[in-house]
Amino acid sequence: MKDFSYISHLECPKCGETYEETKVQQLCKCGSPLLVRYDLEKVKANVTKEEISKRTNTLWRYHELLPVHSEENVVTLGEGMTPFEKFPTLGAEYGINNLYIKDEGIIPTGSFKTRGASVGISKAKELGVKQLAMPTNGNAGAAWALYASKANIKATIVMPLDAPQITRKEVFVAGGDLHLINGLISDAGKVVAGLVQNQGVYDASTLKEPYRIEGKKTMGYEIVEQFGWKVPDVILYPTGGGVGIIGIYKAILEMQELGWIEKGKFPRLVAVQAEGCAPIVDAWKKGEKESKFFENSTTCAFGINVPKALGDFLVLEGVYATDGCAIAISEEDLLAAQKQVASLEGNFICPEGAATFAAARILREQGWIKEDEHVVCLNTGLGLKYPETVEIEGVQTLQPGQELFVNN
Ligand SMILES: Cc1ncc(COP(=O)(O)O)c(C=O)c1O
Ligand SMILES: [Zn+2]
């Protein structure tokens, strides 16, 4: 059967050690996450970007650059090729003439975590995994539980009590093994680490398996393809564990290597965090290569409440290498942006995504973003998953038969 993937091996970005991809691998022995490497020369010789553009409208259109060998092992619900749209009204408001949304709300399970779940679960299935465990801030657990059910893999999911309520219901309805914890994702991580150590289940924690990032990197491929196989000037990403921004940077490097885009021309990558949890921003301000644990973190943008990310050094590398920056947004500003996007552009986005729009506005005001630059904000999920972030004020309840007058 034809090989669906041109994967070659796994490589440690810290110490350079390499690993086989044909068996289960987790972290490098030095403790770093592993990155997937492909035979890019073979991809170059066998596939053109024009061919890719004619393929199925899912992220599996990039299958040579994904880690699954046999097409039969692909677990898909039709994820990927999400909308990439211009926001002219909001752009005019911000003084950015070319403002775009990459909208990951329009995807199965309602968040971009689906990409990592589809690719991660497909590879787990190929490797014969029967049981996995993961800590989550909600959306990833929901997506992995749903895809795991389709692959007949048992999923143990541990999430904070404060995670969006709908995500625990998604795990439950999928038949996942759901556990709630009265703490943060870092506390959930410790519980999962114990379980992995004692019972040897597959550790699907962020970056502790190498394949989730491969799913998320397809956001980078899609943005470039949808932008006409060019890179925009700026991409703003709501950064928690940082997998998305690491993945987008990896995708750009791969596409440069493949000759699909100009070598050396990068979008400036912006790591957007909340003021209540900004470890990457603090590290970037000091020019450091790693972040420190952010004490007592809190934000309503729950997906980016990650006090210390395992891949922080990779996020910072992507930001420094592309002349990007890191910025923290107040709760007030991100909620105002959520309302503004819905009321001007008709799109109810999640609070994490809203933070990127608030960041674009502020960076434009500071002159860091120029008027004519092409700016892409990543909305990582559907606003409908976070009904509690919207407070309704001044709405009157009518009695049947009561007459209604509106201002016109
Ligand atoms: C909606 C949403 N946005 C952003 C993030 C942060 O993702 P990453 O790990 O890629 O930084 C999460 C993670 O839970 C999320 O659920
Ligand atoms: Zn290593």
Side-chain angles (χ1 to χ4, degrees):
M1 200 168 44
K2 196 165 171 274
D3 199 344
F4 207 50
S5 171
Y6 293 176
I7 183 173
S8 62
H9 62 278
L10 304 173
E11 189 179 272
C12 174
K14 245 187 189 155
C15 74
E17 184 72 29
T18 59
Y19 294 84
E20 282 175 45
E21 52 81 27
T22 46
K23 50 185 184 215
V24 169
Q25 307 283 5
Q26 307 250 227
L27 292 175
C28 178
K29 53 179 188 286
C30 81
S32 165
L34 295 172
L35 296 179
V36 180
R37 299 296 179 209
Y38 297 86
D39 184 345
L40 294 178
E41 284 307 313
K42 190 169 156 197
V43 178
K44 222 169 160 173
N46 287 282
V47 201
T48 63
K49 55 185 200 243
E50 289 74 22
E51 259 171 72
I52 296 226
S53 294
K54 291 188 207 130
R55 288 184 178 168
T56 164
N57 233 15
T58 75
L59 61 80
W60 293 98
R61 72 208 268 120
Y62 308 107
H63 64 80
E64 289 89 347
L65 297 148
L66 293 173
V68 181
H69 288 288
S70 167
E71 192 173 357
E72 277 174 16
N73 289 324
V74 169
V75 183
T76 180
L77 294 169
E79 57 291 318
M81 289 310 277
T82 54
F84 178 78
E85 300 292 337
K86 202 161 180 173
F87 272 180
T89 312
L90 191 66
E93 187 74 21
Y94 289 179
I96 301 174
N97 292 334
N98 300 291
L99 178 66
Y100 299 84
I101 183 171
K102 173 69 173 161
D103 192 3
E104 296 289 302
I106 311 302
I107 196 163
T109 86
S111 93
F112 77 121
K113 296 283 181 182
T114 287
R115 294 179 187 268
S118 177
V119 175
I121 289 285
S122 299
K123 187 68 181 178
K125 182 179 167 192
E126 188 159 88
L127 292 169
V129 170
K130 295 279 176 274
Q131 197 174 355
L132 63 81
M134 69 188 297
T136 173
N137 266 343
N139 284 322
W144 280 70
L146 285 155
Y147 279 78
S149 70
K150 197 168 166 69
N152 199 20
I153 293 174
K154 185 172 178 218
T156 295
I157 309 290
V158 188
M159 71 169 72
L161 268 174
D162 290 342
Q165 291 269 335
I166 188 70
T167 59
R168 64 169 84 159
K169 296 192 180 183
E170 289 175 274
V171 175
F172 184 78
V173 80
D177 174 33
L178 172 68
H179 300 267
L180 302 171
I181 186 161
N182 193 3
L184 293 174
I185 189 170
S186 41
D187 301 303
K190 286 178 198 149
V191 172
V192 169
L195 178 67
V196 167
Q197 200 173 18
N198 297 333
Q199 283 177 246
V201 299
Y202 185 62
D203 192 346
S205 308
T206 305
L207 292 170
K208 289 193 181 169
E209 61 77 54
Y211 304 107
R212 186 196 297 211
I213 180 177
E214 294 305 292
K216 291 198 184 180
K217 85 176 176 189
T218 58
M219 289 187 289
Y221 277 90
E222 288 180 20
I223 290 171
V224 166
E225 183 177 348
Q226 290 168 318
F227 195 58
W229 294 106
K230 287 188 315 250
V231 298
D233 298 296
V234 179
I235 299 178
L236 298 105
Y237 183 82
T239 306
V243 187
I245 199 166
I246 299 167
I248 291 171
Y249 179 55
K250 184 172 189 281
I252 303 283
L253 289 171
E254 285 174 3
M255 281 184 279
Q256 290 191 1
E257 216 44 56
L258 288 165
W260 290 0
I261 54 174
E262 195 182 319
K263 211 158 194 167
K265 187 173 181 315
F266 289 93
R268 306 200 305 280
L269 296 177
V270 181
V272 180
Q273 299 200 298
E275 279 181 0
C277 184
I280 302 279
V281 179
D282 287 351
W284 177 79
K285 281 188 180 155
K286 294 184 196 137
E288 282 167 0
K289 289 190 174 152
E290 281 180 27
S291 65
K292 296 204 172 59
F293 191 93
F294 195 97
E295 297 292 343
N296 303 317
S297 64
T298 172
T299 167
C300 73
F302 207 75
I304 54 176
N305 190 349
V306 181
K308 165 80 180 156
L310 187 60
D312 54 357
F313 70 102
L314 294 170
V315 175
L316 286 158
E317 186 190 315
V319 170
Y320 292 131
T322 61
D323 285 328
C325 70
I327 180 169
I329 305 299
S330 70
E331 298 293 288
E332 197 187 345
D333 280 354
L334 69 87
L335 289 173
Q338 185 187 42
K339 180 104 185 32
Q340 208 175 19
V341 170
S343 60
L344 294 181
E345 298 287 357
N347 194 321
F348 184 11
I349 64 175
C350 68
E352 295 85 350
T356 66
F357 284 94
R361 176 182 62 74
I362 294 166
L363 291 171
R364 175 70 194 105
E365 280 166 13
Q366 294 174 353
W368 193 87
I369 289 176
K370 305 278 179 297
E371 192 179 11
D372 285 327
E373 287 189 314
H374 294 265
V375 177
V376 180
C377 289
L378 251 149
N379 174 42
T380 39
L382 206 54
L384 293 178
K385 294 189 89 172
Y386 301 71
E388 68 289 351
T389 55
V390 179
E391 294 224 25
I392 298 181
E393 292 158 2
V395 174
Q396 164 199 23
T397 304
L398 299 169
Q399 298 307 323
Q402 192 177 337
E403 239 181 297
L404 178 64
F405 299 94
V406 293
N407 295 328
N408 45 23

